[in-house]
PDB file of all heavy atoms in Angstrom:
ATOM      1  N   GLN A  13      -8.907 -80.277  41.889  1.00  0.00           N
ATOM      2  CA  GLN A  13      -9.485 -79.975  40.595  1.00  0.00           C
ATOM      3  C   GLN A  13     -10.942 -80.371  40.560  1.00  0.00           C
ATOM      4  O   GLN A  13     -11.344 -81.374  41.134  1.00  0.00           O
ATOM      5  CB  GLN A  13      -8.704 -80.748  39.508  1.00  0.00           C
ATOM      6  CG  GLN A  13      -7.240 -80.381  39.420  1.00  0.00           C
ATOM      7  CD  GLN A  13      -7.038 -78.943  38.984  1.00  0.00           C
ATOM      8  OE1 GLN A  13      -7.609 -78.544  37.986  1.00  0.00           O
ATOM      9  NE2 GLN A  13      -6.265 -78.210  39.723  1.00  0.00           N
ATOM     10  N   SER A  14     -11.736 -79.609  39.833  1.00  0.00           N
ATOM     11  CA  SER A  14     -13.135 -79.950  39.648  1.00  0.00           C
ATOM     12  C   SER A  14     -13.223 -81.143  38.676  1.00  0.00           C
ATOM     13  O   SER A  14     -12.339 -81.367  37.872  1.00  0.00           O
ATOM     14  CB  SER A  14     -13.874 -78.762  39.037  1.00  0.00           C
ATOM     15  OG  SER A  14     -13.394 -78.490  37.728  1.00  0.00           O
ATOM     16  N   PRO A  15     -14.298 -81.929  38.764  1.00  0.00           N
ATOM     17  CA  PRO A  15     -14.436 -83.074  37.882  1.00  0.00           C
ATOM     18  C   PRO A  15     -14.341 -82.708  36.383  1.00  0.00           C
ATOM     19  O   PRO A  15     -13.712 -83.400  35.616  1.00  0.00           O
ATOM     20  CB  PRO A  15     -15.816 -83.646  38.241  1.00  0.00           C
ATOM     21  CG  PRO A  15     -16.045 -83.207  39.638  1.00  0.00           C
ATOM     22  CD  PRO A  15     -15.379 -81.857  39.750  1.00  0.00           C
ATOM     23  N   SER A  16     -14.940 -81.577  36.015  1.00  0.00           N
ATOM     24  CA  SER A  16     -14.917 -81.205  34.631  1.00  0.00           C
ATOM     25  C   SER A  16     -13.514 -80.883  34.139  1.00  0.00           C
ATOM     26  O   SER A  16     -13.135 -81.151  33.022  1.00  0.00           O
ATOM     27  CB  SER A  16     -15.851 -80.004  34.366  1.00  0.00           C
ATOM     28  OG  SER A  16     -15.410 -78.882  35.134  1.00  0.00           O
ATOM     29  N   ARG A  17     -12.688 -80.275  35.036  1.00  0.00           N
ATOM     30  CA  ARG A  17     -11.325 -79.950  34.719  1.00  0.00           C
ATOM     31  C   ARG A  17     -10.482 -81.215  34.515  1.00  0.00           C
ATOM     32  O   ARG A  17      -9.676 -81.317  33.608  1.00  0.00           O
ATOM     33  CB  ARG A  17     -10.730 -79.068  35.826  1.00  0.00           C
ATOM     34  CG  ARG A  17      -9.269 -78.645  35.581  1.00  0.00           C
ATOM     35  CD  ARG A  17      -9.167 -77.715  34.429  1.00  0.00           C
ATOM     36  NE  ARG A  17      -7.819 -77.136  34.335  1.00  0.00           N
ATOM     37  CZ  ARG A  17      -7.422 -76.362  33.376  1.00  0.00           C
ATOM     38  NH1 ARG A  17      -8.241 -76.012  32.422  1.00  0.00           N
ATOM     39  NH2 ARG A  17      -6.172 -75.840  33.377  1.00  0.00           N
ATOM     40  N   ASN A  18     -10.683 -82.218  35.396  1.00  0.00           N
ATOM     41  CA  ASN A  18      -9.919 -83.439  35.308  1.00  0.00           C
ATOM     42  C   ASN A  18     -10.160 -84.163  33.991  1.00  0.00           C
ATOM     43  O   ASN A  18      -9.282 -84.814  33.459  1.00  0.00           O
ATOM     44  CB  ASN A  18     -10.244 -84.343  36.486  1.00  0.00           C
ATOM     45  CG  ASN A  18      -9.593 -83.866  37.784  1.00  0.00           C
ATOM     46  OD1 ASN A  18      -8.544 -83.223  37.728  1.00  0.00           O
ATOM     47  ND2 ASN A  18     -10.190 -84.185  38.895  1.00  0.00           N
ATOM     48  N   THR A  19     -11.410 -84.143  33.544  1.00  0.00           N
ATOM     49  CA  THR A  19     -11.738 -84.877  32.314  1.00  0.00           C
ATOM     50  C   THR A  19     -11.068 -84.251  31.095  1.00  0.00           C
ATOM     51  O   THR A  19     -11.013 -84.892  30.042  1.00  0.00           O
ATOM     52  CB  THR A  19     -13.255 -84.924  32.106  1.00  0.00           C
ATOM     53  OG1 THR A  19     -13.783 -83.605  32.060  1.00  0.00           O
ATOM     54  CG2 THR A  19     -13.917 -85.691  33.224  1.00  0.00           C
ATOM     55  N   ASP A  20     -10.609 -82.998  31.227  1.00  0.00           N
ATOM     56  CA  ASP A  20      -9.942 -82.354  30.105  1.00  0.00           C
ATOM     57  C   ASP A  20      -8.577 -82.921  29.856  1.00  0.00           C
ATOM     58  O   ASP A  20      -7.989 -82.687  28.784  1.00  0.00           O
ATOM     59  CB  ASP A  20      -9.834 -80.827  30.369  1.00  0.00           C
ATOM     60  CG  ASP A  20     -11.157 -80.116  30.269  1.00  0.00           C
ATOM     61  OD1 ASP A  20     -12.077 -80.699  29.653  1.00  0.00           O
ATOM     62  OD2 ASP A  20     -11.322 -79.034  30.852  1.00  0.00           O
ATOM     63  N   CYS A  21      -7.988 -83.586  30.812  1.00  0.00           N
ATOM     64  CA  CYS A  21      -6.630 -84.089  30.666  1.00  0.00           C
ATOM     65  C   CYS A  21      -6.546 -85.543  31.090  1.00  0.00           C
ATOM     66  O   CYS A  21      -6.274 -85.823  32.273  1.00  0.00           O
ATOM     67  CB  CYS A  21      -5.667 -83.243  31.492  1.00  0.00           C
ATOM     68  SG  CYS A  21      -3.958 -83.735  31.314  1.00  0.00           S
ATOM     69  N   GLU A  94      -3.788 -75.115  27.311  1.00  0.00           N
ATOM     70  CA  GLU A  94      -3.152 -76.371  27.690  1.00  0.00           C
ATOM     71  C   GLU A  94      -3.828 -76.944  28.918  1.00  0.00           C
ATOM     72  O   GLU A  94      -3.343 -76.735  30.037  1.00  0.00           O
ATOM     73  CB  GLU A  94      -1.639 -76.151  27.954  1.00  0.00           C
ATOM     74  CG  GLU A  94      -0.815 -75.911  26.708  1.00  0.00           C
ATOM     75  CD  GLU A  94      -0.547 -77.182  25.927  1.00  0.00           C
ATOM     76  OE1 GLU A  94      -1.111 -78.253  26.302  1.00  0.00           O
ATOM     77  OE2 GLU A  94       0.227 -77.143  24.963  1.00  0.00           O
ATOM     78  N   PRO A  95      -4.938 -77.659  28.787  1.00  0.00           N
ATOM     79  CA  PRO A  95      -5.633 -78.183  29.967  1.00  0.00           C
ATOM     80  C   PRO A  95      -4.821 -79.188  30.764  1.00  0.00           C
ATOM     81  O   PRO A  95      -5.087 -79.398  31.947  1.00  0.00           O
ATOM     82  CB  PRO A  95      -6.868 -78.872  29.352  1.00  0.00           C
ATOM     83  CG  PRO A  95      -6.502 -79.141  27.927  1.00  0.00           C
ATOM     84  CD  PRO A  95      -5.614 -78.016  27.532  1.00  0.00           C
ATOM     85  N   LYS A  98      -1.592 -77.614  34.050  1.00  0.00           N
ATOM     86  CA  LYS A  98      -1.697 -77.490  35.503  1.00  0.00           C
ATOM     87  C   LYS A  98      -1.691 -78.837  36.206  1.00  0.00           C
ATOM     88  O   LYS A  98      -0.960 -79.002  37.186  1.00  0.00           O
ATOM     89  CB  LYS A  98      -2.953 -76.688  35.862  1.00  0.00           C
ATOM     90  CG  LYS A  98      -3.057 -76.331  37.338  1.00  0.00           C
ATOM     91  CD  LYS A  98      -4.243 -75.469  37.616  1.00  0.00           C
ATOM     92  CE  LYS A  98      -4.221 -74.942  39.037  1.00  0.00           C
ATOM     93  NZ  LYS A  98      -4.279 -76.064  40.023  1.00  0.00           N
TER      94      LYS A  98
END
Side-chain angles (χ1 to χ4, degrees):
Q13 299 293 310
S14 66
S16 61
R17 180 67 171 177
N18 284 334
T19 58
D20 288 340
C21 183
E94 287 284 6
K98 189 175 187 300

